Amino acid sequence: MKQEILLEITGTQQIDSQRDKIELTTVGEIEEIDDAYIVYYTEEQEPPLSPVQATVKIYKNGNSVEMTRTGAYDSCLVIEKSKRNLCHYGTQFGDILMGISGRSIESEFNGSRGCFNFGYDIDVNGALASRNEVKMTFRKNQEQ
């Protein structure tokens, strides 16, 4: 059963010595299934682009995360600890095939609040493009 949550997402991206940080606070939903937690939320875009529907599936064994975005441009990133996966990332110029190498995956959820952290590297044509960290902190909406 999906439960409404207040979700705070912080994403950091490091390219060479430059570091960029993006923060998003939104309402979303979380669903717990046998082997994973699934977080659903919407990212508003600058007009004329339509909103992006995001789904993040964090496996309870701590070995993998799947991030899917659907909207004007679709993408699906699979992050697995100590493994490299080839993933498609949609852009206005077409799809890009990227290597995603998982560094770390941590999850904590007590039924009413939690935090998911994961780190991964992106490479394009085998060359490191960026180092990324995502932190998702949430609590059930009734605790606000």
PDB file of all heavy atoms in Angstrom, residues 30 32 37 39 58-60 62 105-118 135-139:
ATOM      1  N   ILE A  30       5.469   6.418  -0.847  1.00  0.00           N
ATOM      2  CA  ILE A  30       6.382   5.287  -0.678  1.00  0.00           C
ATOM      3  C   ILE A  30       5.547   4.025  -0.569  1.00  0.00           C
ATOM      4  O   ILE A  30       4.443   4.035  -0.007  1.00  0.00           O
ATOM      5  CB  ILE A  30       7.313   5.448   0.540  1.00  0.00           C
ATOM      6  CG1 ILE A  30       8.395   4.359   0.518  1.00  0.00           C
ATOM      7  CG2 ILE A  30       6.535   5.448   1.848  1.00  0.00           C
ATOM      8  CD1 ILE A  30       9.559   4.616   1.456  1.00  0.00           C
ATOM      9  N   GLU A  32       6.161  -0.210   0.244  1.00  0.00           N
ATOM     10  CA  GLU A  32       7.075  -1.275   0.638  1.00  0.00           C
ATOM     11  C   GLU A  32       6.557  -2.584   0.056  1.00  0.00           C
ATOM     12  O   GLU A  32       5.402  -2.957   0.265  1.00  0.00           O
ATOM     13  CB  GLU A  32       7.169  -1.377   2.161  1.00  0.00           C
ATOM     14  CG  GLU A  32       8.159  -2.421   2.623  1.00  0.00           C
ATOM     15  CD  GLU A  32       8.358  -2.444   4.136  1.00  0.00           C
ATOM     16  OE1 GLU A  32       7.737  -1.623   4.842  1.00  0.00           O
ATOM     17  OE2 GLU A  32       9.134  -3.292   4.596  1.00  0.00           O
ATOM     18  N   TYR A  37      11.824  -0.950  -1.397  1.00  0.00           N
ATOM     19  CA  TYR A  37      11.022   0.242  -1.141  1.00  0.00           C
ATOM     20  C   TYR A  37      10.932   0.981  -2.475  1.00  0.00           C
ATOM     21  O   TYR A  37      11.928   1.085  -3.195  1.00  0.00           O
ATOM     22  CB  TYR A  37      11.692   1.157  -0.119  1.00  0.00           C
ATOM     23  CG  TYR A  37      11.972   0.491   1.201  1.00  0.00           C
ATOM     24  CD1 TYR A  37      13.264   0.133   1.556  1.00  0.00           C
ATOM     25  CD2 TYR A  37      10.937   0.225   2.096  1.00  0.00           C
ATOM     26  CE1 TYR A  37      13.530  -0.479   2.774  1.00  0.00           C
ATOM     27  CE2 TYR A  37      11.194  -0.392   3.317  1.00  0.00           C
ATOM     28  CZ  TYR A  37      12.497  -0.744   3.647  1.00  0.00           C
ATOM     29  OH  TYR A  37      12.746  -1.349   4.839  1.00  0.00           O
ATOM     30  N   VAL A  39       9.788   4.666  -4.130  1.00  0.00           N
ATOM     31  CA  VAL A  39       9.413   6.052  -3.884  1.00  0.00           C
ATOM     32  C   VAL A  39       8.940   6.644  -5.206  1.00  0.00           C
ATOM     33  O   VAL A  39       9.619   6.500  -6.239  1.00  0.00           O
ATOM     34  CB  VAL A  39      10.607   6.865  -3.327  1.00  0.00           C
ATOM     35  CG1 VAL A  39      10.232   8.330  -3.162  1.00  0.00           C
ATOM     36  CG2 VAL A  39      11.084   6.271  -2.008  1.00  0.00           C
ATOM     37  N   ILE A  58      14.538   1.048  -4.242  1.00  0.00           N
ATOM     38  CA  ILE A  58      15.713   0.746  -3.443  1.00  0.00           C
ATOM     39  C   ILE A  58      15.544  -0.673  -2.905  1.00  0.00           C
ATOM     40  O   ILE A  58      14.623  -0.939  -2.123  1.00  0.00           O
ATOM     41  CB  ILE A  58      15.880   1.735  -2.271  1.00  0.00           C
ATOM     42  CG1 ILE A  58      15.962   3.172  -2.799  1.00  0.00           C
ATOM     43  CG2 ILE A  58      17.107   1.402  -1.444  1.00  0.00           C
ATOM     44  CD1 ILE A  58      14.653   3.908  -2.758  1.00  0.00           C
ATOM     45  N   TYR A  59      16.408  -1.575  -3.310  1.00  0.00           N
ATOM     46  CA  TYR A  59      16.292  -2.966  -2.873  1.00  0.00           C
ATOM     47  C   TYR A  59      16.784  -3.100  -1.431  1.00  0.00           C
ATOM     48  O   TYR A  59      17.791  -2.519  -1.050  1.00  0.00           O
ATOM     49  CB  TYR A  59      17.064  -3.887  -3.815  1.00  0.00           C
ATOM     50  CG  TYR A  59      16.349  -4.057  -5.128  1.00  0.00           C
ATOM     51  CD1 TYR A  59      16.588  -3.195  -6.186  1.00  0.00           C
ATOM     52  CD2 TYR A  59      15.394  -5.052  -5.285  1.00  0.00           C
ATOM     53  CE1 TYR A  59      15.905  -3.325  -7.376  1.00  0.00           C
ATOM     54  CE2 TYR A  59      14.702  -5.194  -6.475  1.00  0.00           C
ATOM     55  CZ  TYR A  59      14.959  -4.324  -7.522  1.00  0.00           C
ATOM     56  OH  TYR A  59      14.264  -4.455  -8.696  1.00  0.00           O
ATOM     57  N   LYS A  60      16.026  -3.861  -0.641  1.00  0.00           N
ATOM     58  CA  LYS A  60      16.313  -4.011   0.788  1.00  0.00           C
ATOM     59  C   LYS A  60      17.656  -4.673   1.070  1.00  0.00           C
ATOM     60  O   LYS A  60      18.241  -4.451   2.126  1.00  0.00           O
ATOM     61  CB  LYS A  60      15.194  -4.805   1.464  1.00  0.00           C
ATOM     62  CG  LYS A  60      13.885  -4.053   1.530  1.00  0.00           C
ATOM     63  CD  LYS A  60      12.817  -4.897   2.185  1.00  0.00           C
ATOM     64  CE  LYS A  60      11.490  -4.174   2.252  1.00  0.00           C
ATOM     65  NZ  LYS A  60      10.432  -5.007   2.852  1.00  0.00           N
ATOM     66  N   GLY A  62      20.333  -3.885  -0.132  1.00  0.00           N
ATOM     67  CA  GLY A  62      21.357  -2.846  -0.189  1.00  0.00           C
ATOM     68  C   GLY A  62      22.294  -2.932  -1.366  1.00  0.00           C
ATOM     69  O   GLY A  62      23.304  -2.244  -1.403  1.00  0.00           O
ATOM     70  N   ILE A 105      25.393   2.271  -1.374  1.00  0.00           N
ATOM     71  CA  ILE A 105      23.943   2.287  -1.229  1.00  0.00           C
ATOM     72  C   ILE A 105      23.638   2.049   0.246  1.00  0.00           C
ATOM     73  O   ILE A 105      24.085   1.050   0.823  1.00  0.00           O
ATOM     74  CB  ILE A 105      23.259   1.199  -2.086  1.00  0.00           C
ATOM     75  CG1 ILE A 105      23.561   1.402  -3.571  1.00  0.00           C
ATOM     76  CG2 ILE A 105      21.747   1.181  -1.826  1.00  0.00           C
ATOM     77  CD1 ILE A 105      23.099   0.263  -4.465  1.00  0.00           C
ATOM     78  N   GLU A 106      22.922   2.980   0.852  1.00  0.00           N
ATOM     79  CA  GLU A 106      22.535   2.845   2.260  1.00  0.00           C
ATOM     80  C   GLU A 106      21.054   3.153   2.381  1.00  0.00           C
ATOM     81  O   GLU A 106      20.552   4.079   1.735  1.00  0.00           O
ATOM     82  CB  GLU A 106      23.327   3.814   3.137  1.00  0.00           C
ATOM     83  CG  GLU A 106      24.824   3.609   3.096  1.00  0.00           C
ATOM     84  CD  GLU A 106      25.583   4.728   3.791  1.00  0.00           C
ATOM     85  OE1 GLU A 106      24.929   5.629   4.370  1.00  0.00           O
ATOM     86  OE2 GLU A 106      26.813   4.703   3.742  1.00  0.00           O
ATOM     87  N   SER A 107      20.353   2.383   3.210  1.00  0.00           N
ATOM     88  CA  SER A 107      18.931   2.654   3.428  1.00  0.00           C
ATOM     89  C   SER A 107      18.578   2.452   4.889  1.00  0.00           C
ATOM     90  O   SER A 107      19.131   1.586   5.563  1.00  0.00           O
ATOM     91  CB  SER A 107      18.054   1.767   2.536  1.00  0.00           C
ATOM     92  OG  SER A 107      18.196   0.421   2.885  1.00  0.00           O
ATOM     93  N   GLU A 108      17.668   3.310   5.335  1.00  0.00           N
ATOM     94  CA  GLU A 108      17.170   3.242   6.701  1.00  0.00           C
ATOM     95  C   GLU A 108      15.702   3.656   6.655  1.00  0.00           C
ATOM     96  O   GLU A 108      15.365   4.719   6.134  1.00  0.00           O
ATOM     97  CB  GLU A 108      17.966   4.211   7.581  1.00  0.00           C
ATOM     98  CG  GLU A 108      17.547   4.229   9.022  1.00  0.00           C
ATOM     99  CD  GLU A 108      18.348   5.247   9.815  1.00  0.00           C
ATOM    100  OE1 GLU A 108      19.558   5.395   9.560  1.00  0.00           O
ATOM    101  OE2 GLU A 108      17.733   5.917  10.663  1.00  0.00           O
ATOM    102  N   PHE A 109      14.823   2.789   7.156  1.00  0.00           N
ATOM    103  CA  PHE A 109      13.393   3.076   7.151  1.00  0.00           C
ATOM    104  C   PHE A 109      12.773   2.398   8.353  1.00  0.00           C
ATOM    105  O   PHE A 109      12.916   1.193   8.531  1.00  0.00           O
ATOM    106  CB  PHE A 109      12.766   2.585   5.843  1.00  0.00           C
ATOM    107  CG  PHE A 109      11.295   2.869   5.699  1.00  0.00           C
ATOM    108  CD1 PHE A 109      10.756   4.094   6.064  1.00  0.00           C
ATOM    109  CD2 PHE A 109      10.439   1.908   5.194  1.00  0.00           C
ATOM    110  CE1 PHE A 109       9.404   4.358   5.929  1.00  0.00           C
ATOM    111  CE2 PHE A 109       9.085   2.161   5.043  1.00  0.00           C
ATOM    112  CZ  PHE A 109       8.570   3.390   5.415  1.00  0.00           C
ATOM    113  N   ASN A 110      12.077   3.178   9.189  1.00  0.00           N
ATOM    114  CA  ASN A 110      11.486   2.606  10.397  1.00  0.00           C
ATOM    115  C   ASN A 110       9.966   2.535  10.330  1.00  0.00           C
ATOM    116  O   ASN A 110       9.313   2.340  11.346  1.00  0.00           O
ATOM    117  CB  ASN A 110      11.936   3.372  11.639  1.00  0.00           C
ATOM    118  CG  ASN A 110      11.339   4.769  11.717  1.00  0.00           C
ATOM    119  OD1 ASN A 110      10.447   5.128  10.954  1.00  0.00           O
ATOM    120  ND2 ASN A 110      11.845   5.563  12.638  1.00  0.00           N
ATOM    121  N   GLY A 111       9.387   2.716   9.157  1.00  0.00           N
ATOM    122  CA  GLY A 111       7.945   2.647   9.001  1.00  0.00           C
ATOM    123  C   GLY A 111       7.275   4.001   8.937  1.00  0.00           C
ATOM    124  O   GLY A 111       6.221   4.138   8.332  1.00  0.00           O
ATOM    125  N   SER A 112       7.883   5.029   9.542  1.00  0.00           N
ATOM    126  CA  SER A 112       7.290   6.366   9.474  1.00  0.00           C
ATOM    127  C   SER A 112       8.248   7.416   8.914  1.00  0.00           C
ATOM    128  O   SER A 112       7.822   8.461   8.464  1.00  0.00           O
ATOM    129  CB  SER A 112       6.792   6.817  10.844  1.00  0.00           C
ATOM    130  OG  SER A 112       7.870   6.924  11.746  1.00  0.00           O
ATOM    131  N   ARG A 113       9.531   7.119   8.930  1.00  0.00           N
ATOM    132  CA  ARG A 113      10.530   8.025   8.366  1.00  0.00           C
ATOM    133  C   ARG A 113      11.747   7.230   7.946  1.00  0.00           C
ATOM    134  O   ARG A 113      11.930   6.101   8.378  1.00  0.00           O
ATOM    135  CB  ARG A 113      10.915   9.142   9.333  1.00  0.00           C
ATOM    136  CG  ARG A 113      11.507   8.675  10.629  1.00  0.00           C
ATOM    137  CD  ARG A 113      11.918   9.820  11.575  1.00  0.00           C
ATOM    138  NE  ARG A 113      10.801  10.681  11.864  1.00  0.00           N
ATOM    139  CZ  ARG A 113      10.812  12.018  11.695  1.00  0.00           C
ATOM    140  NH1 ARG A 113      11.898  12.611  11.282  1.00  0.00           N
ATOM    141  NH2 ARG A 113       9.762  12.734  11.971  1.00  0.00           N
ATOM    142  N   GLY A 114      12.558   7.854   7.094  1.00  0.00           N
ATOM    143  CA  GLY A 114      13.739   7.135   6.648  1.00  0.00           C
ATOM    144  C   GLY A 114      14.648   7.982   5.802  1.00  0.00           C
ATOM    145  O   GLY A 114      14.394   9.169   5.560  1.00  0.00           O
ATOM    146  N   CYS A 115      15.722   7.343   5.354  1.00  0.00           N
ATOM    147  CA  CYS A 115      16.723   8.017   4.534  1.00  0.00           C
ATOM    148  C   CYS A 115      17.361   6.989   3.607  1.00  0.00           C
ATOM    149  O   CYS A 115      17.694   5.882   4.046  1.00  0.00           O
ATOM    150  CB  CYS A 115      17.779   8.652   5.438  1.00  0.00           C
ATOM    151  SG  CYS A 115      19.000   9.630   4.556  1.00  0.00           S
ATOM    152  N   PHE A 116      17.491   7.347   2.348  1.00  0.00           N
ATOM    153  CA  PHE A 116      18.183   6.527   1.365  1.00  0.00           C
ATOM    154  C   PHE A 116      19.337   7.354   0.807  1.00  0.00           C
ATOM    155  O   PHE A 116      19.144   8.511   0.425  1.00  0.00           O
ATOM    156  CB  PHE A 116      17.262   6.110   0.212  1.00  0.00           C
ATOM    157  CG  PHE A 116      16.046   5.330   0.642  1.00  0.00           C
ATOM    158  CD1 PHE A 116      14.786   5.699   0.205  1.00  0.00           C
ATOM    159  CD2 PHE A 116      16.152   4.232   1.471  1.00  0.00           C
ATOM    160  CE1 PHE A 116      13.658   4.985   0.577  1.00  0.00           C
ATOM    161  CE2 PHE A 116      15.030   3.502   1.869  1.00  0.00           C
ATOM    162  CZ  PHE A 116      13.782   3.878   1.415  1.00  0.00           C
ATOM    163  N   ASN A 117      20.523   6.784   0.789  1.00  0.00           N
ATOM    164  CA  ASN A 117      21.705   7.446   0.234  1.00  0.00           C
ATOM    165  C   ASN A 117      22.354   6.524  -0.784  1.00  0.00           C
ATOM    166  O   ASN A 117      22.496   5.328  -0.508  1.00  0.00           O
ATOM    167  CB  ASN A 117      22.744   7.736   1.323  1.00  0.00           C
ATOM    168  CG  ASN A 117      22.253   8.709   2.348  1.00  0.00           C
ATOM    169  OD1 ASN A 117      21.964   9.838   2.026  1.00  0.00           O
ATOM    170  ND2 ASN A 117      22.166   8.267   3.595  1.00  0.00           N
ATOM    171  N   PHE A 118      22.738   7.067  -1.916  1.00  0.00           N
ATOM    172  CA  PHE A 118      23.491   6.258  -2.860  1.00  0.00           C
ATOM    173  C   PHE A 118      24.452   7.131  -3.645  1.00  0.00           C
ATOM    174  O   PHE A 118      24.197   8.298  -3.909  1.00  0.00           O
ATOM    175  CB  PHE A 118      22.600   5.414  -3.770  1.00  0.00           C
ATOM    176  CG  PHE A 118      21.359   6.084  -4.275  1.00  0.00           C
ATOM    177  CD1 PHE A 118      21.332   6.654  -5.528  1.00  0.00           C
ATOM    178  CD2 PHE A 118      20.205   6.118  -3.503  1.00  0.00           C
ATOM    179  CE1 PHE A 118      20.175   7.249  -6.002  1.00  0.00           C
ATOM    180  CE2 PHE A 118      19.052   6.714  -3.967  1.00  0.00           C
ATOM    181  CZ  PHE A 118      19.036   7.286  -5.219  1.00  0.00           C
ATOM    182  N   LYS A 135      20.777  11.910  -1.754  1.00  0.00           N
ATOM    183  CA  LYS A 135      20.266  11.666  -0.412  1.00  0.00           C
ATOM    184  C   LYS A 135      18.775  11.964  -0.435  1.00  0.00           C
ATOM    185  O   LYS A 135      18.367  13.067  -0.794  1.00  0.00           O
ATOM    186  CB  LYS A 135      20.963  12.555   0.615  1.00  0.00           C
ATOM    187  CG  LYS A 135      20.465  12.326   2.024  1.00  0.00           C
ATOM    188  CD  LYS A 135      21.223  13.171   3.034  1.00  0.00           C
ATOM    189  CE  LYS A 135      20.764  12.859   4.439  1.00  0.00           C
ATOM    190  NZ  LYS A 135      21.542  13.616   5.435  1.00  0.00           N
ATOM    191  N   MET A 136      17.973  10.968  -0.073  1.00  0.00           N
ATOM    192  CA  MET A 136      16.513  11.120  -0.012  1.00  0.00           C
ATOM    193  C   MET A 136      16.096  10.924   1.444  1.00  0.00           C
ATOM    194  O   MET A 136      16.269   9.841   1.989  1.00  0.00           O
ATOM    195  CB  MET A 136      15.829  10.074  -0.893  1.00  0.00           C
ATOM    196  CG  MET A 136      16.261  10.108  -2.336  1.00  0.00           C
ATOM    197  SD  MET A 136      15.538   8.758  -3.304  1.00  0.00           S
ATOM    198  CE  MET A 136      13.870   9.374  -3.463  1.00  0.00           C
ATOM    199  N   THR A 137      15.568  11.975   2.055  1.00  0.00           N
ATOM    200  CA  THR A 137      15.082  11.914   3.428  1.00  0.00           C
ATOM    201  C   THR A 137      13.576  12.110   3.383  1.00  0.00           C
ATOM    202  O   THR A 137      13.087  12.986   2.665  1.00  0.00           O
ATOM    203  CB  THR A 137      15.733  13.023   4.285  1.00  0.00           C
ATOM    204  OG1 THR A 137      17.157  12.910   4.165  1.00  0.00           O
ATOM    205  CG2 THR A 137      15.332  12.895   5.739  1.00  0.00           C
ATOM    206  N   PHE A 138      12.839  11.320   4.157  1.00  0.00           N
ATOM    207  CA  PHE A 138      11.377  11.422   4.075  1.00  0.00           C
ATOM    208  C   PHE A 138      10.739  11.060   5.411  1.00  0.00           C
ATOM    209  O   PHE A 138      11.344  10.431   6.272  1.00  0.00           O
ATOM    210  CB  PHE A 138      10.847  10.496   2.969  1.00  0.00           C
ATOM    211  CG  PHE A 138      11.199   9.056   3.184  1.00  0.00           C
ATOM    212  CD1 PHE A 138      10.341   8.207   3.877  1.00  0.00           C
ATOM    213  CD2 PHE A 138      12.395   8.545   2.713  1.00  0.00           C
ATOM    214  CE1 PHE A 138      10.677   6.877   4.088  1.00  0.00           C
ATOM    215  CE2 PHE A 138      12.733   7.227   2.917  1.00  0.00           C
ATOM    216  CZ  PHE A 138      11.875   6.385   3.606  1.00  0.00           C
ATOM    217  N   ARG A 139       9.496  11.491   5.531  1.00  0.00           N
ATOM    218  CA  ARG A 139       8.665  11.108   6.678  1.00  0.00           C
ATOM    219  C   ARG A 139       7.228  11.058   6.205  1.00  0.00           C
ATOM    220  O   ARG A 139       6.843  11.751   5.261  1.00  0.00           O
ATOM    221  CB  ARG A 139       8.828  12.075   7.836  1.00  0.00           C
ATOM    222  CG  ARG A 139       8.321  13.469   7.540  1.00  0.00           C
ATOM    223  CD  ARG A 139       8.395  14.331   8.791  1.00  0.00           C
ATOM    224  NE  ARG A 139       7.856  15.626   8.485  1.00  0.00           N
ATOM    225  CZ  ARG A 139       8.521  16.756   8.525  1.00  0.00           C
ATOM    226  NH1 ARG A 139       9.774  16.754   8.888  1.00  0.00           N
ATOM    227  NH2 ARG A 139       7.935  17.884   8.238  1.00  0.00           N
TER     228      ARG A 139
END
